[in-house]
Amino acid sequence: MAMQLLDRTIDVSTSPVTPASISAEQQRAVELFLFHEVRLLDERRFSEWLALWSEDGRYWVPRFHDQLNPFEQISLFWEDRMLREVRVRRVENARNWSQQPPTRSAHVIGNITIEGADAAGNLIVRSTFQLTEWRSEQRQLAGVVFHKLAAVDDGWEIVLKRVNLVNCDAVFANLEVFI
Amino acid sequence: MTLSLEVLASCVRADSVHKRVYTDPEIFALEMERIYGQAWIYVGHESQVPKTGDYHTTRIGDQDVIMVRAADGKVHVVYNRCPHKGAKVVADGEGCTGKFFRCPYHAWTFKLDGSHLSAPLKSGLEGTCYDPSHPDFSMKKVARVEIYRGFVFACQAAEGPDLKAFLGGVISSIDNLCDRSPVGEVEVAGGSFKVMQSSNWKVFYENLHDTMHARITHESSYVAAREEAKTLGEMPFELLIMDGNGEPYEFWEKLELRAYPNGHGYMEAIFDPAAATRDPVSRAHFSSLSEAYGEARAREIMGMNRHNTILYGSGSPHTVFQQFRKIIPISVDHTMIEIQTFRLKGAPQAVFDRALTYANLINSPSSNVMPDDVEVYKRCQEGNRTNGGDWVSLHRYLGTDLETPDGWVSTNGTSELPMRNQFAAWKQYMLNPPAVTGAGQLQSNMEDGHATA
């Protein structure tokens, strides 16, 4: 069953409601998880990247600074599992003219802090990133990312990834791959 | 040395155009003067400037202008230039300027219609020809402004047809967009996207009604949508709007293309929103319209199912998903698209939600559909720079289009009627320069720098 894209019950807030007490070891595990996530994107291992998400996880790149939600205003990306899968299917289709040659990318992430937990107990993690993209011309993207992570048996899964671009109000060429 | 009318005329044949219309910067400069200087251009919607002092900046061709709401409730469109040193008075974007404009350079001030209000230390201007009531000391208004159902159009030429005459039969698309609201009104809502294409502005206009490209260019996105739908066992709205491009040729051949004078036109819709697996939205919308207008009229309004409409020079409204894509030429090989979404006042919230989803998924920079368009536009731009040939073909179904009382209609939906119609308009504009450009003409009392006693 497809997810409802405009399901307003999805908690998109990235402000913690409870503090999170985690050990240095757990902090390190979270950092390694984030490093792994962007590595999968940079190596275009999209199927593996899709597997990092919870069933009802949401990928969100707001169109506005301090955007409250994706329901009243447009977003640069607002994608549930179905739409993330469609994007990967398209990007990997042999007749993806705009991905010939493909977009190459390199993420650098840092300043990783655990902010606390949300109402559902998901970990809220803040990081900053620099992303260089290359496809016929070079493009720099940068900003702050909030991950909401749910603890699962073997680590974490992504419940929300909110990417606050410094230039969310820019004139863009295509944004084809996940940031 | 301006290109002669003969050269310009020779660029457009009945069945083809010379590639230089896309690649020649001189032609681009002339288009700014002769097309964007004479056509009625959509600058924005009244709802973007609800209160006195609210302004919104945009462009008419290569001209930066401000749409502003004055104290008398009127909407004005003025060039974004201070008459003192020429500084842009407001930064690009939107906001509220209060009771007047104030230039950030020397604090010359102007009423909201652009007329001169004051300048500091006026004593220094005494004995000169400084005259607050002279147009040389005011922000210049764009020659004509007309508003149709909230849509604000401006024309840089003082003479010429009025807005309704200019739009002709295509005005029905603006009507239908508004009629889809139970109170007959729309408002801009949800924000706008800005997308850059590395191609000439005319390529995008031609593509809007190009029914032969969809199955080819968009294969990656409709195949992806169909694969996904298969795994889900249903075709939700989000996928349906990507799936339509994959219809077989027979489907496209049956569509109707309409063309009107001045390059305008519309294309019949390629999918029915009600065909989505879960579509309570159309039902809710229909009942809200039935309550307002009666069932027969509601059926008529929702039955007018159009895909892209073309207002040549302005861009493309989409009536069914409440959108207006402004097409703004930046240079001979760069075009900016500004994508606005509208709320149908009084319609169910779900109708706006659907418009928002359509905006996010189809025409945004992150669309799965548009990148392939943008790629092939760029390839046209690059290919036409080579010596590999001079002419661009517009041959499909030439000579088969039928004349109607107000324009033309295709007999086959894959006809290149829209492109031929656009270039007929292009030729008409380009061979008929505006009588007075105003540029470089010194009609003022600044002429000799001395006050005339």
Side-chain angles (χ1 to χ4, degrees), chain B residues 302-314:
Chain B
M302 287 185 72
M304 194 184 270
N305 194 8
R306 294 178 182 179
H307 192 48
N308 299 325
T309 290
I310 288 176
L311 306 184
Y312 198 58
S314 291

Side-chain angles (χ1 to χ4, degrees), chain B residues 70-266:
Chain B
D72 60 2
K74 279 210 178 93
V75 172
H76 297 277
V77 181
V78 294
Y79 292 95
N80 195 354
R81 176 188 182 270
C82 176
H84 177 213
K85 299 286 183 187
K88 237 178 172 175
V89 176
V90 297
D92 288 342
E94 49 196 20
C96 184
T97 186
K99 291 191 169 72
F100 52 85
F101 288 113
R102 180 175 182 270
C103 181
Y105 199 4
H106 301 90
W108 282 32
T109 54
F110 308 92
K111 293 174 196 162
L112 296 174
D113 66 355
S115 57
H116 190 93
L117 187 60
S118 191
L121 291 180
K122 280 205 183 119
S123 54
L125 297 166
E126 271 171 33
T128 73
C129 60
Y130 166 77
D131 172 4
S133 65
H134 193 282
D136 278 352
F137 298 92
S138 288
M139 291 169 73
K140 190 178 169 184
K141 282 184 185 177
V142 175
R144 290 185 289 163
V145 175
E146 279 198 50
I147 302 176
Y148 185 73
R149 299 192 73 168
F151 290 80
V152 181
F153 287 81
C155 179
Q156 295 192 79
E159 303 295 322
D162 65 15
L163 177 63
K164 272 190 173 173
F166 168 82
L167 291 171
V170 85
I171 206 166
S172 56
S173 284
I174 299 179
D175 282 328
N176 186 249
L177 174 54
C178 300
D179 292 344
R180 286 172 173 267
S181 145
V183 296
E185 283 179 33
V186 299
E187 58 187 350
V188 171
S192 65
F193 290 117
K194 286 181 177 169
V195 181
M196 190 65 81
Q197 302 175 348
S198 302
S199 47
N200 185 269
W201 62 276
K202 295 185 292 297
V203 177
F204 187 33
Y205 276 103
E206 290 174 65
N207 188 74
L208 285 164
H209 289 180
D210 181 313
T211 55
M212 286 297 288
H213 86 287
R215 301 189 64 225
I216 312 305
T217 305
H218 298 303
E219 188 173 338
S220 67
S221 63
Y222 70 75
V223 167
R226 287 174 182 187
E227 285 173 351
E228 187 69 20
K230 209 168 163 179
T231 63
L232 295 170
E234 62 163 337
M235 179 67 81
F237 176 78
E238 296 90 327
L239 302 180
L240 179 85
I241 53 183
M242 291 183 221
D243 161 77
N245 283 322
E247 294 283 2
Y249 281 133
E250 302 77 67
F251 168 89
W252 302 99
E253 292 192 287
K254 286 195 194 97
L255 286 181
E256 187 175 86
L257 298 166
R258 288 262 172 183
Y260 298 101
N262 301 322
H264 313 313
Y266 71 79

Side-chain angles (χ1 to χ4, degrees), chain A residues 2 6 8 63 71-76 82 85-87 89-90 95 97-98 135-136 172 174-175, chain B residues 190 192-196 216-217 219-220 228 232 234 349 353 356-357 360 365-366 368 371-372 375:
Chain A
L6 292 154
R8 286 172 164 73
R63 160 64 184 78
F71 309 120
E72 302 302 323
Q73 292 173 296
I74 53 175
S75 296
L76 290 167
M82 173 179 84
E85 285 177 3
V86 168
R87 179 173 302 278
R89 288 179 196 277
R90 188 197 86 80
R95 291 186 165 166
W97 319 122
S98 65
R135 188 193 174 260
S136 72
F172 283 100
N174 299 336
L175 296 164
Chain B
S192 65
F193 290 117
K194 286 181 177 169
V195 181
M196 190 65 81
I216 312 305
T217 305
E219 188 173 338
S220 67
E228 187 69 20
L232 295 170
E234 62 163 337
Q349 172 68 26
D353 293 348
L356 207 62
T357 300
N360 282 346
S366 72
N368 283 306
D372 287 321
E375 175 70 15

Side-chain angles (χ1 to χ4, degrees), chain A residues 118-156:
Chain A
D118 72 0
N122 300 306
L123 220 50
I124 300 173
V125 186
R126 181 186 185 276
S127 60
T128 54
F129 76 101
Q130 287 281 347
L131 165 61
T132 303
E133 270 191 0
W134 162 253
R135 188 193 174 260
S136 72
E137 52 188 23
Q138 193 144 306
R139 166 165 68 184
Q140 291 298 131
L141 295 169
V144 171
V145 179
F146 286 93
H147 282 84
K148 281 189 180 185
L149 302 178
V152 288
D153 292 348
D154 51 352
W156 309 99

Side-chain angles (χ1 to χ4, degrees), chain B residues 357-424:
Chain B
T357 300
Y358 186 81
N360 282 346
L361 296 185
I362 300 299
N363 294 325
S364 74
S366 72
S367 158
N368 283 306
V369 181
M370 287 289 286
D372 287 321
D373 278 323
V374 173
E375 175 70 15
V376 294
Y377 303 164
K378 182 168 160 231
R379 293 201 198 182
C380 290
Q381 200 65 30
E382 290 171 348
N384 278 325
R385 288 192 197 115
T386 73
N387 295 328
D390 292 334
W391 294 91
V392 169
S393 160
L394 312 173
H395 291 84
R396 285 194 69 80
Y397 284 98
L398 178 73
T400 68
D401 309 310
L402 301 175
E403 197 151 353
T404 64
D406 59 354
W408 297 268
V409 62
S410 61
T411 53
N412 183 293
T414 66
S415 170
E416 282 171 328
L417 162 69
M419 302 74 168
R420 292 190 289 267
N421 185 52
Q422 286 163 30
F423 278 105

